[in-house]
Structures are given as structure tokens and as C-alpha cells.
Amino acid sequence: MKVMLRHGGKPIDERMVWVMGDHTDRVDYCPDGDTDYWLLTIRRDIPPLFVTRR
């Protein structure tokens, strides 16, 4: 599952990004090109469901 958020204004405090990184598989936070926007990408790898016969 991947969630991408784009916002304008001041960047999010790095400590908040670290906290998100502790609870997900990957967090990327960077400026979005030459504009005054920021892009936050949060990814969580969810294993596929396996159904077994009993």
C-alpha cells in the first residue's frame, strides 16, 4: 500500500517523519520539483493472503 501526500508551505518537522518511518516500511519526504510544495510518500508492504485447505 502506498500513500502520497503533496502540500505547500513549510516542511514537516523531521522528527514527525522519523516517527512515521518507525511504523511503516518506507517514508520519503522531499521537495516536489522547483515549486514551493513538498511530497510525502508512505509505503507499507502487506503480504499477500494465503488460503490453505484443512
Side-chain angles (χ1 to χ4, degrees):
M1 176 170 57
K2 182 192 262 188
V3 176
M4 297 175 76
L5 302 169
R6 184 175 181 251
H7 72 90
K10 294 184 179 183
I12 298 172
D13 189 332
E14 282 186 23
R15 292 174 289 183
M16 290 300 295
V17 176
W18 293 337
V19 168
M20 287 183 259
D22 288 342
H23 300 284
T24 60
D25 293 315
R26 183 173 179 172
V27 174
D28 292 317
Y29 188 62
C30 60
D32 188 18
D34 294 333
T35 62
D36 193 25
Y37 286 90
W38 293 85
L39 183 63
L40 173 65
T41 305
I42 304 169
R43 192 183 84 209
R44 178 77 177 154
D45 296 334
I46 300 172
L49 284 173
F50 290 103
V51 178
T52 59
R53 209 182 272 189
R54 292 184 186 198

